[in-house]
């Protein structure tokens, strides 16, 4: 446990020194929240477009922000692998799970801060525009959004393990784009229907967004919360195991 905590502390310090972590993981999602709220103000109510309503938008932006945590995780792991830093640590008594959790824990912290700041910003916006937003839901989402955060962090860990520091961000950007569409962040996937909705339902991305939005609405029904929770938590557990396995294999290959 001490090994994991020591490596966690090191990664937290590294991220705190990187300006890009503040820009992409914190500032950019908040900017998108404000911009999309302004866009929503110009959409006629008769259009029935509710995705950009602040209660739905807040959940979507939280998931959108988590995709950037994935990007930063991939970049951090890939960068560490490109230097002799990790190679030297491979000779230490640390196991692959120590390395993996050393990356996961700091990203969990960033994700929780990100969710909290998004919730605070969304609440301020709701006061300005006169919309109703559940404070309890905004508080609960800080913790209950962690399964979806784990899903994206594990993806970032896998990309950082498989690709170098030049390729990993590019692959992560593809997932960010897919998450925006297949996750139903910027459009109503259910009302879109057809083949597009069928594709969305086949990926955990849509269920990440559903889960977070359900928490904000305090909608703890089977279809809205528990079923998406099972899908997201199961996918996150599988990807976490895969991340540890792949990192372990990479360790052996680098030491060979």
């Amino acid at each position: 446990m001490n090994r994991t905590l020591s490596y966690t502390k090191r990664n937290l310090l590294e991220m705190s020194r990187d300006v890009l972590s503040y820009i992409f993981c914190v500032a950019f999602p908040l900017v998108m929240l404000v911009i999309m709220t302004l866009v929503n103000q110009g959409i006629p109510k008769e259009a029935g477009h509710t995705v950009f309503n602040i209660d739905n938008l807040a959940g979507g932006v939280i998931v959108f922000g988590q995709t950037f945590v994935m990007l930063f995780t991939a970049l951090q792991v890939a960068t560490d692998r490109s230097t002799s830093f990790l190679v030297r640590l491979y000779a230490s008594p640390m196991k692959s799970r120590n390395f993996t959790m050393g990356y996961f824990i700091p990203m969990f912290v960033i994700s929780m801060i990100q969710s909290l700041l998004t919730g605070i910003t969304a609440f301020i916006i709701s006061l300005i525009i006169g919309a109703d937003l559940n404070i309890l839901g905004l508080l609960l989402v800080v913790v209950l959004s962690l399964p979806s955060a784990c899903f994206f962090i594990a993806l970032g860990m896998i990309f950082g393990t498989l690709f170098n520091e030049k390729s990993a961000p590019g692959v992560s950007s593809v997932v960010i784009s897919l998450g925006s569409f297949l996750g139903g962040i910027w459009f109503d996937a259910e009302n879109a229907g057809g083949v597009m909705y069928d594709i969305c339902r086949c990926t955990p991305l849509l269920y990440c967004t559903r889960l977070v939005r359900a928490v904000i609405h305090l909608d703890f029904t089977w279809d809205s919360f528990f079923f998406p929770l099972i899908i997201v938590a199961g996918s996150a557990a599988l990807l976490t195991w895969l991340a540890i396995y792949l990192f372990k294999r990479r360790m052996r290959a680098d030491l060979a």
Side-chain angles (χ1 to χ4, degrees), residues 180-234:
S180 299
F181 291 100
L182 300 182
I185 295 175
W186 306 126
F187 82 105
D188 192 340
E190 294 183 4
N191 287 336
V195 177
M196 188 63 184
Y197 181 51
D198 291 336
I199 295 174
C200 291
R201 287 193 301 173
C202 292
T203 71
L205 299 170
L206 178 63
Y207 298 101
C208 289
T209 308
R210 277 187 179 178
L211 173 65
V212 174
R213 283 176 174 162
V215 174
I216 292 178
H217 289 117
L218 296 179
D219 182 6
F220 297 111
T221 58
W222 169 259
D223 290 336
S224 297
F225 177 76
F226 287 103
F227 182 69
L229 177 62
I230 291 172
I231 298 295
V232 174

Side-chain angles (χ1 to χ4, degrees), residues 132-151:
D132 292 329
L133 199 56
N134 197 299
I135 300 178
L136 179 58
L138 293 175
L139 293 175
L140 288 176
V141 80
V142 175
V143 176
L144 294 179
S145 63
L146 288 181
S148 62
C150 183
F151 170 81

Side-chain angles (χ1 to χ4, degrees), residues 39-248:
V39 170
N40 189 54
Q41 295 297 102
I43 299 176
K45 293 183 179 180
E46 294 77 13
H49 191 77
T50 61
V51 173
F52 292 163
N53 289 353
I54 191 62
D55 53 344
N56 290 321
L57 183 61
V61 168
I62 286 174
V63 176
F64 183 64
Q66 290 174 347
T67 63
F68 283 94
V69 174
M70 171 197 66
L71 169 64
F72 200 76
T73 304
L75 184 60
Q76 184 72 42
V77 176
T79 302
D80 286 345
R81 283 185 45 247
S82 67
T83 65
S84 60
F85 173 73
L86 277 182
V87 176
R88 291 196 301 268
L89 285 183
Y90 288 160
S92 70
M94 290 180 65
K95 306 295 183 182
S96 59
R97 62 178 179 272
N98 299 129
F99 287 105
T100 305
M101 295 312 297
Y103 288 111
F104 265 78
I105 295 174
M107 297 304 170
F108 274 136
V109 173
I110 288 179
S111 181
M112 293 180 72
I113 293 174
Q114 185 185 76
S115 298
L116 180 61
L117 291 177
T118 301
I120 292 173
T121 305
F123 181 69
I124 293 173
I125 290 174
S126 70
L127 294 178
I128 295 174
I129 65 177
D132 292 329
L133 199 56
N134 197 299
I135 300 178
L136 179 58
L138 293 175
L139 293 175
L140 288 176
V141 80
V142 175
V143 176
L144 294 179
S145 63
L146 288 181
S148 62
C150 183
F151 170 81
F152 287 109
I153 294 170
L155 269 180
M157 185 77 190
I158 291 171
F159 294 153
T161 301
L162 295 178
F163 304 101
N164 59 34
E165 71 275 15
K166 294 181 180 179
S167 301
V171 176
S172 299
S173 297
V174 173
V175 177
I176 292 174
S177 299
L178 289 175
S180 299
F181 291 100
L182 300 182
I185 295 175
W186 306 126
F187 82 105
D188 192 340
E190 294 183 4
N191 287 336
V195 177
M196 188 63 184
Y197 181 51
D198 291 336
I199 295 174
C200 291
R201 287 193 301 173
C202 292
T203 71
L205 299 170
L206 178 63
Y207 298 101
C208 289
T209 308
R210 277 187 179 178
L211 173 65
V212 174
R213 283 176 174 162
V215 174
I216 292 178
H217 289 117
L218 296 179
D219 182 6
F220 297 111
T221 58
W222 169 259
D223 290 336
S224 297
F225 177 76
F226 287 103
F227 182 69
L229 177 62
I230 291 172
I231 298 295
V232 174
S235 301
L238 178 62
L239 288 178
T240 300
W241 172 84
L242 184 60
I244 296 173
Y245 172 75
L246 291 175
F247 193 87
K248 186 176 183 178

